[in-house]
Every structure is written in C-alpha cells, then in structure tokens.
Amino acid sequence: MFLMPPLINFRHQAVRDLAWVIASPSVLRAAGPDRVSDSWCRIAYLDRLPWLRYQDNHPGELEAWLAGEQSQLLGHYFEALIVFWLQQWPQVELLASRLTVEGEHKVLGEFDFLFHDRYRNATFHWECTIKFFLRKVEGHDGYAWVGPNPRDTLANKYHKVFDRQLKLAALPEAKRELHERGIAVPTAQAFFKGYLFYPASGDWQHPEPIPPDSSPQHLRGWWCYADALQQLPFVDDNSRWSSLKRLHWLSPASSQESAPGYTRAGLLHWLTDHFAASDKPVLLAELRPGSDGIWREANRGFVVPAHWPHPAPRG
C-alpha cells in the first residue's frame, strides 16, 4: 500500500511542493505501462530524499529557478518543479520539455517531457497533469467529476491525455522531430497528480463511489456550497483555517505563526464576505497545532458558490 511521506516536515513551501510532486499518489490507477505508478513515485522520492533535505536547507537555487518562470498558472508551476527535479537527478537525462510538433501551418501537439532513464535504460515521454475535481451528482444514479472551473472535467481530461497527447509520438511529424534530435521512440506515460473532493455532508474520507479508474490511494478532500456552510467538517474548535493561494494548492499547508489564518467564527464571516463579492471557489485548509508549535494541515476542501457548476444568474 502506498503511504504518503511526511512532506509537511519540509519547512520551505517550494521544497514541500517539489517533494509532493515526486511523492504524491496518482489520481489514476496504475492499470498499465501508460501511466506512472505510485510505487515508482515512492522509490523516486526515497532516492531523492537527501537532495530534498539539502534543498530545504539551501532553497536559493530553487527559488531563483521558479522566479525565472514568471507565471502564476498552477500548471506552469507544476511543470517548473518537474523540470528542476529531472534536471538534477543523476538517474535521468532530460532530453526536452514543452517540445512542440508542427505540421503544415499548425501545431499538432507538444511533448511535455522527454527523458532517458539510465537505470531502466529506456526513453520516456511524460504528459504531466495537475488537476482538482469535485464529485457532483448527475442524473438519478450517476456522478460527474468537475473542476472548480466547471469547464474542466475529469472525463474530458482523461480522453485528451490518453486519446491524443500520449499518442503524439506515433504521428509522422513527431517521428521525424524525434529522429532529427536523436531521441529514441519513447514509452508514453501519464504523470497525473491532484486531489479528488467529495461532498462534505458524507464520509468524504472513505467515499463511495470513487472513479472506476482512480488510484485507491488518491488524495482526497471535501467540498460544500457557500449557502451550506454548516456542512464544513469542523472537528476541533482549536483549529485555524487558511484560504490557500492557487500556487499553494499542491502540498499540505504549514505555518509557524502563533495563530495563523481564521478561527471558526472568523472563517464563516470571511466566507460570507467573499461570496457576497465574488463567484470564485476557495480552497480551505484546516490547520492544527503540533507539539513543536508548527500548525499543519489536517484536511482541505473547496467552498463553491451556490450556483456552481452553472454560470452565475444575471441580476
């Protein structure tokens, strides 16, 4: 069974995120060679653990690398962390990232990552995805998996990755591009990370059903509507609550402040004010204090506007 390593013990946010990128379980079940398995991620994390500890004590190089990206998009941040990891891992040789394949007058696709694994003596093409999906009842006995932005769905992303992106190397134009660069025919794999969120009114920690092709160890949280805040899973009156910035959606939240975020009453007040002025879902983390004085994430969940996943009604 895959056990999530104690990533929260990394003090530096970006290093904690880097460790999360490597170690966190996949959203998808390891059903074949076309996806990166949880067990491989665990092995990779253990191999890189001394390096990660060094980065936590000397984060300047990672900070400079991320500053050079100059993007506030979570997907770009996720990919930047992967590049930093693969470039500095002696086991692999990073051959290309974001390599576009062009046809006549148009772009046919892009290889997210191409690298040679020296240990396995094989070349890989990774399509990397970071996604967050909420389980929504659809019809009488069905479910849909929808992102905080409802234009994003698990079904659409799954088909895009497996029916198009992972098949890029089979195109004649892609074969030619790889041959000209001296890159062997790669094994295509999905590196699919993220969280699945279940209704806060149910047993979101041990939910049924889960997506049929999801990893049994996938990371999970809860969600509720802004007009049903009584469903928030308040467990400890001494907890504090934090609204996570988008670039802090990866690893578990942590704070060394004496009293971070909001109290329960303060959170409810803040959420009321937020949704009176905005339709943007918010991702919350409940923080609980440790014996070392550090507040650590106990659970996380989305609060969405009452009309989600439909557009806001026009006034």
Side-chain angles (χ1 to χ4, degrees):
M1 178 180 177
F2 183 94
L3 296 177
M4 186 71 168
L7 307 183
I8 210 158
N9 291 332
F10 290 105
R11 296 167 300 176
H12 193 277
Q13 174 76 50
V15 177
R16 198 161 62 247
D17 290 341
L18 176 62
W20 183 93
V21 166
I22 301 171
S24 61
S26 175
V27 171
L28 302 178
R29 182 186 301 273
D34 60 351
R35 51 195 78 185
V36 180
S37 70
D38 291 348
S39 59
W40 186 91
C41 289
R42 174 72 178 187
I43 292 170
Y45 170 75
L46 293 175
D47 182 76
R48 293 278 76 199
L49 186 53
W51 174 73
L52 287 165
R53 287 174 175 158
Y54 176 85
Q55 297 299 325
D56 202 34
N57 292 319
H58 306 86
E61 185 180 4
L62 176 57
E63 290 175 329
W65 169 257
L66 294 173
E69 286 295 297
Q70 296 182 338
S71 174
Q72 293 301 304
L73 296 176
L74 185 61
H76 288 176
Y77 178 63
F78 180 66
E79 291 182 358
L81 291 169
I82 296 173
V83 172
F84 188 82
W85 161 34
L86 295 181
Q87 281 182 335
Q88 299 201 31
W89 193 9
Q91 179 174 315
V92 308
E93 177 188 3
L94 182 59
L95 304 173
S97 61
R98 298 180 185 172
L99 176 62
T100 58
V101 175
E102 297 185 0
E104 189 174 355
H105 309 304
K106 66 177 182 178
V107 174
L108 300 176
E110 178 182 274
F111 291 104
D112 280 355
F113 295 96
L114 291 161
F115 65 90
H116 182 74
D117 187 321
R118 296 184 175 99
Y119 182 79
R120 292 180 285 181
N121 191 28
T123 299
F124 291 89
H125 158 212
W126 272 9
E127 284 299 317
C128 297
T129 300
I130 175 67
K131 289 295 179 183
F132 303 79
F133 294 109
L134 288 63
R135 192 184 76 187
K136 180 76 172 66
V137 174
E138 187 174 80
H140 293 293
D141 49 356
Y143 294 93
W145 292 90
V146 185
N149 179 346
R151 291 177 294 182
D152 209 7
T153 69
L154 177 56
N156 288 345
K157 188 61 183 179
Y158 184 93
H159 290 302
K160 181 179 180 181
V161 169
F162 288 97
D163 295 342
R164 188 172 68 183
Q165 292 175 319
L166 290 182
K167 296 180 179 180
L168 179 60
L171 297 179
E173 295 87 350
K175 291 180 179 179
R176 183 166 56 250
E177 182 73 30
L178 294 174
H179 178 74
E180 290 176 354
R181 292 173 175 266
I183 299 176
V185 176
T187 297
Q189 292 185 319
F191 187 80
F192 201 124
K193 301 292 182 96
Y195 286 77
L196 299 180
F197 295 84
Y198 298 84
S201 57
D203 186 0
W204 60 270
Q205 293 176 308
H206 307 92
E208 288 293 343
I210 65 174
D213 199 35
S214 66
S215 167
Q217 286 79 39
H218 69 268
L219 300 178
R220 61 203 67 186
W222 50 266
W223 73 270
C224 72
Y225 285 110
D227 60 357
L229 294 178
Q230 71 276 8
Q231 294 178 357
L232 281 173
F234 292 116
V235 176
D236 189 339
D237 288 337
N238 295 320
S239 294
R240 306 287 294 195
W241 291 78
S242 178
S243 173
L244 301 181
K245 298 177 182 178
R246 184 172 290 272
L247 292 190
H248 292 173
W249 283 11
L250 302 184
S251 64
S254 175
S255 177
Q256 298 185 48
E257 297 179 22
S258 59
Y262 302 97
T263 63
R264 174 175 179 169
L267 174 67
L268 295 175
H269 182 75
W270 181 84
L271 287 171
T272 300
D273 288 347
H274 171 82
F275 286 107
S278 174
D279 284 326
K280 289 186 177 181
V282 295
L283 180 56
L284 303 176
E286 180 186 3
L287 306 177
R288 298 178 191 166
S291 58
D292 55 2
I294 298 176
W295 293 76
R296 295 181 172 90
E297 180 179 319
N299 64 74
R300 63 170 54 189
F302 276 103
V303 180
V304 299
H307 57 76
W308 181 91
H310 306 291
R314 295 182 179 180

